[in-house]
Amino acid sequence: MTIARGMLISIEGIDGSGKSTLVRHLAKQLQTYDCSVVTTKEPGGSSLGKLLREILQHQPVALMSRAEYLLFAADRAQHMDEVIKPALKSGAVVISDRMADSSLAYQGYGRGEDLAMINTINVWAMQEIKPDLTFYLKIEPEEAIERLKKRTTLTAFEKEQTGFVKRLITGFDEIFRDRDNVITLDGTLSPEEIAESATQAVMQWATARELRGKQGEINGGR
Ligand code: ADP
Ligand code: TYD
């Protein structure tokens, strides 16, 4: 079985939780099913985003948290038109390293900005397109901090204290609690085990969509 129609997958979690590793492994595994895969990221998936990413990660001027959020939102709006929509239209499985939920966690729970306002702007920036599946990589802050020690340059977010990271985890837990399209993965397992679980979940989701489509045809044909 392959995935013939577009599918949008987001990967979320704190810095160092293993998101980019999962993006790489999952893309590789899905390609073995003959799927066309597009990998991308926020911030920085679009041409504008590459410029914004530099400002957001290194904050050469002090950014007020609302301005910080609106730059992420600008990146997201550009990303949708420039990358996500064309890729979905071409029938690809799109895997994005972070999307709108990162703003709810970082700017909402982390910085204390209004969650409802962030959500409203996110929905508008994304033109009401939502991920079909979200993978939430969960690890303890201490483990993430250990992993990040290997990085030579840290972003403004990676320099934040453990308290900030704990608020992010509380945030992700609360945002995802009542969503039925979120799969929480144990980020302490090996990259191969994590990718295997994610691949199975993607294929199951695609199979269920095919069945729903066929059921629709049968019911429609009655
Ligand atoms: P993120 O994109 O979430 O910041 P990365 O994928 O860059 O995280 O991983 C951060 C660090 O942890 C890297 O050094 C990576 O090799 C390592 N890593 C990633 N996944 C795992 C894992 N499942 N187990 C142990 N180490 C991992
Ligand atoms: P990046 O290097 O992409 O981090 P990572 O590889 O860990 O994902 O830097 C992006 C940083 O921006 C990351 O620390 C999370 C933060 N961020 C937000 O604060 N809000 C957002 O909406 C997004 C998409 C990212």
Side-chain angles (χ1 to χ4, degrees), residues 29-213:
Q29 292 223 19
L30 291 176
Q31 276 154 357
T32 67
Y33 287 88
D34 257 358
C35 301
S36 145
V37 180
V38 170
T39 61
T40 185
K41 66 191 303 173
E42 289 188 13
S46 67
S47 48
L48 171 70
K50 287 184 180 60
L51 300 174
L52 293 178
R53 183 179 162 85
E54 201 46 40
I55 300 172
L56 285 162
Q57 281 187 330
H58 302 297
Q59 312 224 343
V61 290
L63 283 184
M64 301 300 112
S65 53
R66 289 182 191 191
E68 179 183 272
Y69 167 65
L70 288 168
L71 293 181
F72 280 112
D75 166 66
R76 189 158 295 137
Q78 184 86 8
H79 190 215
M80 288 310 291
D81 270 326
E82 203 176 290
V83 179
I84 305 275
K85 283 173 73 182
L88 289 176
K89 207 168 165 204
S90 77
V93 177
V94 184
I95 311 172
S96 184
D97 187 340
R98 298 191 182 280
M99 287 198 99
D101 295 319
S102 278
S103 283
L104 287 170
Y106 281 72
Q107 281 64 51
Y109 286 85
R111 303 274 194 235
E113 288 302 330
D114 185 66
L115 290 167
M117 181 60 78
I118 293 175
N119 192 48
T120 300
I121 298 172
N122 277 346
V123 170
W124 182 71
M126 292 187 68
Q127 305 175 38
E128 309 207 11
I129 295 170
K130 291 183 187 153
D132 295 302
L133 266 189
T134 296
F135 291 110
Y136 170 32
L137 274 172
K138 204 165 162 170
I139 66 168
E140 294 299 323
E142 294 74 18
E143 167 82 24
I145 289 164
E146 265 316 299
R147 290 184 186 178
L148 293 176
K149 278 187 185 156
K150 290 184 201 135
R151 290 193 181 161
T152 43
T153 48
L154 294 180
T155 67
F157 300 96
E158 289 163 351
K159 286 182 192 148
E160 288 284 352
Q161 303 299 310
T162 316
F164 181 81
V165 183
K166 286 193 169 145
R167 288 205 296 285
L168 300 179
I169 295 177
T170 305
F172 280 125
D173 287 349
E174 286 185 12
I175 298 160
F176 294 148
R177 185 170 299 143
D178 299 323
R179 292 224 203 130
D180 58 7
N181 65 337
V182 177
I183 294 170
T184 302
L185 298 168
D186 177 354
T188 63
L189 296 177
S190 73
E192 292 74 21
E193 287 172 302
I194 295 171
E196 183 55 37
S197 301
T199 306
Q200 293 310 321
V202 171
M203 297 315 290
Q204 266 172 27
W205 184 91
T207 306
R209 178 173 66 176
E210 287 304 307
L211 288 175
R212 279 199 306 276

Side-chain angles (χ1 to χ4, degrees), residues 11 18-28 39 95-97:
I11 316 263
K19 296 178 306 303
S20 28
T21 305
L22 174 58
V23 170
R24 279 199 310 278
H25 282 76
L26 179 60
K28 226 174 180 180
T39 61
I95 311 172
S96 184
D97 187 340

